[in-house]
Amino acid sequence: MQTYTRLDARSSDFEHAFRALLSAKREVSQDVDDAVGAIIADVRGRGDAALFDLTQRFDRVDLRASGLRVTRDEIAAARGAVPDRTFEALKLARDRILAFHERQKPADQFWTDALGVELGWRWTAIRAVGLYVPGGTAAYPSSVLMNAIPATVAGCERVVIVVPTPDGVLNPLVLVAAELAGVDEIYRVGGAQAVAALAYGTDSIAPVSKIVGPGNAYVAAAKRRVFGQVGIDMIAGPSEVVVVADSSADPEHVAADLLAQAEHDAVAQSILVTDSGDLADAVAAAVERQLAALPRRAIAGPSWRDYGAIVLVPDLDAAVPLVDRLAPEHLEIIARDGDALARRIRDAGAIFLGPHTPEAIGDYVGGSNHVLPTARSARFASGLGVLDFMKRTSVLKCDAAALAALGPAAVALGEAEGLDAHARSVAMRLKG
Amino acid sequence: MQTYTRLDARSSDFEHAFRALLSAKREVSQDVDDAVGAIIADVRGRGDAALFDLTQRFDRVDLRASGLRVTRDEIAAARGAVPDRTFEALKLARDRILAFHERQKPADQFWTDALGVELGWRWTAIRAVGLYVPGGTAAYPSSVLMNAIPATVAGCERVVIVVPTPDGVLNPLVLVAAELAGVDEIYRVGGAQAVAALAYGTDSIAPVSKIVGPGNAYVAAAKRRVFGQVGIDMIAGPSEVVVVADSSADPEHVAADLLAQAEHDAVAQSILVTDSGDLADAVAAAVERQLAALPRRAIAGPSWRDYGAIVLVPDLDAAVPLVDRLAPEHLEIIARDGDALARRIRDAGAIFLGPHTPEAIGDYVGGSNHVLPTARSARFASGLGVLDFMKRTSVLKCDAAALAALGPAAVALGEAEGLDAHARSVAMRLKG
């Protein structure tokens, strides 16, 4: 049986083995692009009729009977189906996510420079946004909160959810979370057809200007295709955690955190980086012990064995460049100098500090967003936030004196670039 | 001969005609995706050798002889080839763009909430970014400044330019602008092969984490394909200006501004929205008169005739919703209540206010960025800025008391989502 990968930074083949870990191909790339192209064309051409037919085919649901839009009565009924303990936890999560994201609202800036030019920019919300919510077992109410709340904080007027309901099943937790988050419209349609409907609109679903949220290969391919017609967030890949720990860490806790990541997906990746051989051994043993009792061991086991790793480093200083190269979605640091270490890390989606901050706190109730850059994209991307639902308009105003000061340089550059109409539009005002 | 479009908001078929204006298909969609896929695979497989062969084929240049990287000597020689007047204008532009973008640097935020949870986020620069610069006549030094300066302000360590040199021709202005902007490396390669080299790296070109900049259909398709492996900016479409003006505007100035946009590209779009029939007539006449004397009339003429428009509105209040629907890249407002009107516009890339602010000032020396959302994407996108070259890492830290306060809700949500390992990673710490 394959086991997790164990690397030692002091061994001569470490660089080679670490590169293999970095480049492990975790995504099964399905070639669905042609199928997705046809689905998008169908929805653009036939609108609702295409949504009805495709949903009948893929989800075995007759939307002509049930209606595309989820009704107020269904949302009220969902509230009744959710235990109070869960509802209260969702409300706590909602309140904390709201408070965190309120702080992300950007400020406009306007100033007048030494030449008298008035400059600045203004932020405004995107009017209408769509959130893709996966159906079935991956329909997580926490993700509904994390995707929708930044949009409502931004001030989007229409926050629209699309969610597939295979065989008619719709998780009541999703509806309750949507209600708590302030979602305006919910449609029971999924896949590439839902993305096409959001991008181009149908009689029943008015188009939006941006689409966010995770989905399967069809959804990802559809988002890639409609990008430009609408904005999209990142294309989500498989998820990962890196735990940096020294001998102060509790091996049972570390093992539990590695498995919390591994249970998401058989291609999720959990990595421990430590300077303690004893901790490494204890964590490896604890992982096996905890796995045996885990309901989702059929997912977490293969994830750990195929993609899990323990990396031994001579000291935690040596962990810093390795973490940056991994650019993990989630980084936990459980070490004596944890805070100082955290400040030296540059490429990570989110950092969870100290022994009392398991990543699962951040998944649910910390307040920060759990939609984070996966698959090493923390090198260039951020977690979801309020700015993803706003856009900036720059403003420029010259008076005659400012134009007189700047104009000649603009004329020179327009002429140098061979754009005479540019130069003339400035030059004729300088004469006046 | 076709002429520009003239609409009157008071006519009964206005809504229909305005919709046609909105949906005018200005892009020629070339089906280059398969070719691009093959080029990317070739560069990934053969690295520099593929770059050499493809450049020989497409640009008729032997890079094995000239070298991929532009040398210090070539950059020094370029400075000698640029007239002082142009060089000084570029320096003024550089200084103003720098000053503007310095104000966009985001601040980190950290706070402790009522439960004792430490929260916040930190911004860091993307380490390495690539700028695509088109070759030939579209090699604009101003665009080099606009793309590179936000990256250097953000603090990117490697700012890399790729630029094709068809038949060996390389615009010295591009090299001088790159030098002024603080670009670190310049490679004479273009097309999909350049995008592939930036995304995946070759022996000569180390990979970057994000690619920005405009390009032809091949470049756009390549950026779409490598998105995920690296970050990308928007897919640039044809450019447009909307001028909102009342009878206070000088028709010659308005005409010049419409033509400055039209000379970019035969599919550029220039639209005047006015409440003055007299201004409309005078502008239409001035456009024809100025066109006759314009060096680039073979481009600006077809642009104006095929896509240009004058829209008459009963008053400028009626212009506001029309402008938002057009979501123009550039908006000029030349009207008595211009400032108040500008505040009511929501969807525009950049606003140029008053009679002394031709858009060409913003193209060159205003200081704000001229890389702006085209083709109605101002509904959801912003102009290029410092944030495009940075990413945010969130940080969360609980102590034992904070975990005790938050933990039960996290356990409840983990269990409700069927993610027991999440719940257990929290629950086992609550016992301790």
Side-chain angles (χ1 to χ4, degrees):
Chain A
M1 192 178 80
Q2 172 159 8
T3 181
Y4 73 94
T5 300
R6 186 147 173 164
L7 306 181
D8 188 327
R10 281 157 297 203
S11 80
S12 60
D13 69 340
F14 174 74
E15 179 58 26
H16 181 260
F18 189 75
R19 283 192 192 201
L21 189 68
L22 278 179
S23 61
K25 180 82 182 155
R26 291 189 285 140
E27 258 175 303
V28 186
S29 96
Q30 279 180 264
D31 194 11
V32 301
D33 202 50
D34 288 347
V36 164
I39 289 169
I40 293 173
D42 192 19
V43 174
R44 288 186 73 174
R46 296 197 299 134
D48 284 342
L51 296 184
F52 295 147
D53 292 349
L54 291 162
T55 302
Q56 181 76 61
R57 179 168 15 135
F58 293 124
D59 295 337
R60 301 157 302 281
V61 173
D62 181 8
L63 293 180
R64 285 186 175 87
S66 65
L68 259 168
R69 186 162 175 179
V70 174
T71 63
R72 304 281 342 149
D73 285 353
E74 288 174 281
I75 294 167
R79 171 62 192 94
V82 171
D84 283 348
R85 172 175 175 252
T86 312
F87 184 74
E88 292 304 321
L90 278 175
K91 270 215 305 206
L92 176 68
R94 189 267 315 264
D95 292 346
R96 290 188 58 85
I97 297 164
L98 201 57
F100 184 95
H101 288 82
E102 283 286 350
R103 289 178 180 255
Q104 291 186 335
K105 287 171 87 165
D108 298 346
Q109 262 199 66
F110 290 98
W111 68 97
T112 304
D113 70 16
L115 296 179
V117 183
E118 294 176 46
L119 297 147
W121 57 80
R122 181 153 47 88
W123 290 92
T124 48
I126 300 172
R127 290 172 194 272
V129 299
L131 317 179
Y132 191 92
V133 176
T137 56
Y140 296 133
S142 58
S143 292
V144 171
L145 298 180
M146 294 288 181
N147 278 280
I149 290 171
T152 55
V153 168
C156 303
E157 279 102 334
R158 281 181 65 224
V159 180
V160 179
I161 278 183
V162 290
V163 55
T165 58
D167 301 306
V169 175
L170 179 48
N171 185 346
L173 287 167
V174 164
L175 298 188
V176 168
E179 180 77 358
L180 283 171
V183 168
D184 300 291
E185 304 163 24
I186 306 174
Y187 298 97
R188 57 188 115 234
V189 60
Q193 57 273 24
V195 173
L198 289 173
Y200 294 101
T202 69
D203 285 344
S204 298
I205 304 179
V208 301
S209 292
K210 186 161 185 174
I211 302 174
V212 304
N216 63 17
Y218 286 83
V219 172
K223 282 168 67 179
R224 198 181 284 272
R225 274 184 174 255
V226 300
F227 175 49
Q229 169 68 23
V230 296
I232 64 170
D233 61 348
M234 64 197 98
I235 306 282
S239 188
E240 66 268 333
V241 71
V242 171
V243 181
V244 173
D246 64 14
S247 62
S248 72
D250 182 325
E252 293 292 338
H253 293 179
V254 172
D257 297 350
L258 295 173
L259 288 174
Q261 189 61 38
E263 77 171 339
H264 270 298
D265 192 332
V267 295
Q269 185 168 49
S270 303
I271 297 175
L272 168 64
V273 181
T274 181
D275 59 355
S276 163
D278 288 347
L279 184 77
D281 294 340
V283 168
V287 164
E288 293 304 332
R289 207 162 42 236
Q290 292 182 26
L291 252 180
L294 199 64
R296 288 169 72 95
R297 61 183 170 274
I299 295 168
S303 161
W304 175 246
R305 285 192 291 275
D306 295 342
Y307 301 109
I310 297 181
V311 180
L312 261 177
V313 287
D315 52 55
L316 292 193
D317 285 344
V320 173
L322 299 183
V323 169
D324 275 343
R325 289 172 69 187
L326 289 163
E329 182 188 12
H330 308 100
L331 172 66
E332 283 189 12
I333 301 181
I334 309 177
R336 287 180 198 89
D337 277 336
D339 289 29
L341 203 61
R343 282 190 288 272
R344 295 165 57 198
I345 299 293
R346 181 146 149 195
D347 295 336
I351 301 178
F352 305 89
L353 265 175
H356 308 292
T357 320
E359 188 246 297
I361 285 289
D363 281 339
Y364 294 123
V365 290
S368 51
N369 209 293
H370 82 196
V371 180
L372 293 164
T374 58
R376 304 192 59 222
S377 63
R379 293 172 295 128
F380 57 82
S382 307
L384 197 68
V386 172
L387 292 182
D388 294 300
F389 298 98
M390 303 188 78
K391 69 266 184 338
R392 195 179 52 217
T393 299
S394 64
V395 181
L396 185 66
K397 184 180 183 181
C398 294
D399 59 16
L403 182 66
L406 290 179
V411 173
L413 291 173
E415 288 174 355
E417 292 189 347
L419 297 175
D420 291 84
H422 282 63
R424 292 175 189 196
S425 74
V426 176
M428 71 166 59
R429 283 165 160 106
L430 295 176
K431 289 180 200 148
Chain B
M1 190 178 82
Q2 173 158 6
T3 182
Y4 72 94
T5 300
R6 185 147 174 164
L7 306 179
D8 188 328
R10 281 157 296 203
S11 80
S12 61
D13 68 342
F14 174 74
E15 178 60 26
H16 181 260
F18 189 76
R19 284 193 192 200
L21 189 69
L22 278 179
S23 61
K25 180 83 182 152
R26 290 190 286 141
E27 258 176 304
V28 186
S29 96
Q30 278 181 266
D31 195 11
V32 301
D33 201 51
D34 288 347
V36 165
I39 289 170
I40 293 174
D42 192 18
V43 174
R44 289 187 71 174
R46 297 197 299 133
D48 284 343
L51 296 184
F52 294 147
D53 292 349
L54 291 162
T55 302
Q56 183 74 62
R57 178 168 13 137
F58 294 123
D59 295 337
R60 301 157 302 281
V61 173
D62 181 7
L63 292 181
R64 285 186 177 87
S66 65
L68 257 168
R69 187 162 175 178
V70 174
T71 64
R72 305 282 337 152
D73 285 351
E74 288 174 282
I75 294 167
R79 170 62 191 93
V82 170
D84 284 347
R85 173 176 175 249
T86 312
F87 184 74
E88 292 304 321
L90 277 174
K91 270 216 305 206
L92 177 68
R94 190 267 315 265
D95 292 345
R96 291 188 58 84
I97 298 165
L98 202 56
F100 184 95
H101 288 82
E102 283 287 349
R103 290 179 178 254
Q104 290 187 335
K105 287 172 84 166
D108 299 345
Q109 263 200 63
F110 290 98
W111 68 96
T112 304
D113 70 15
L115 296 178
V117 182
E118 294 176 46
L119 297 146
W121 58 80
R122 180 153 50 87
W123 289 93
T124 48
I126 299 172
R127 289 173 194 272
V129 299
L131 317 180
Y132 190 93
V133 176
T137 56
Y140 296 132
S142 58
S143 292
V144 172
L145 298 180
M146 294 289 181
N147 278 280
I149 291 172
T152 55
V153 169
C156 302
E157 279 103 334
R158 282 181 66 228
V159 180
V160 179
I161 278 183
V162 291
V163 56
T165 59
D167 300 307
V169 176
L170 179 49
N171 185 347
L173 287 168
V174 164
L175 298 187
V176 168
E179 180 77 358
L180 282 172
V183 168
D184 299 291
E185 304 162 27
I186 306 175
Y187 299 97
R188 55 186 116 239
V189 59
Q193 57 274 25
V195 174
L198 288 173
Y200 294 102
T202 70
D203 285 342
S204 299
I205 305 180
V208 302
S209 292
K210 186 162 184 172
I211 302 173
V212 303
N216 63 16
Y218 287 81
V219 172
K223 283 169 66 180
R224 199 181 283 271
R225 272 184 177 255
V226 301
F227 176 49
Q229 169 69 22
V230 297
I232 62 170
D233 61 347
M234 65 198 99
I235 307 283
S239 187
E240 66 268 332
V241 70
V242 171
V243 180
V244 173
D246 64 15
S247 61
S248 72
D250 182 326
E252 292 293 338
H253 294 178
V254 172
D257 297 351
L258 295 173
L259 288 174
Q261 189 62 38
E263 77 171 340
H264 269 298
D265 192 332
V267 296
Q269 185 168 49
S270 303
I271 297 175
L272 167 64
V273 181
T274 182
D275 59 354
S276 163
D278 288 347
L279 183 78
D281 294 340
V283 168
V287 164
E288 294 303 331
R289 207 163 42 236
Q290 293 183 24
L291 252 179
L294 200 64
R296 288 169 73 95
R297 61 183 170 274
I299 294 167
S303 162
W304 175 246
R305 285 192 290 275
D306 294 342
Y307 301 109
I310 297 181
V311 180
L312 262 177
V313 287
D315 51 55
L316 291 192
D317 286 343
V320 174
L322 299 183
V323 169
D324 276 342
R325 288 172 70 186
L326 289 162
E329 181 188 13
H330 309 101
L331 172 65
E332 283 190 14
I333 301 181
I334 309 178
R336 287 181 198 86
D337 277 335
D339 290 30
L341 203 61
R343 282 190 289 273
R344 294 165 58 198
I345 299 293
R346 180 145 150 196
D347 295 336
I351 301 177
F352 305 89
L353 264 175
H356 308 291
T357 320
E359 188 246 297
I361 286 289
D363 281 340
Y364 293 123
V365 291
S368 50
N369 209 292
H370 82 196
V371 180
L372 293 165
T374 58
R376 304 191 61 221
S377 63
R379 293 171 295 128
F380 55 83
S382 307
L384 197 68
V386 172
L387 292 182
D388 293 302
F389 297 100
M390 304 189 78
K391 69 266 184 338
R392 197 179 52 216
T393 298
S394 64
V395 181
L396 186 67
K397 184 180 184 182
C398 295
D399 60 15
L403 182 66
L406 290 179
V411 172
L413 291 173
E415 289 174 354
E417 292 188 347
L419 296 176
D420 291 86
H422 282 62
R424 291 176 189 194
S425 73
V426 176
M428 71 168 59
R429 283 164 160 105
L430 294 176
K431 288 181 199 144

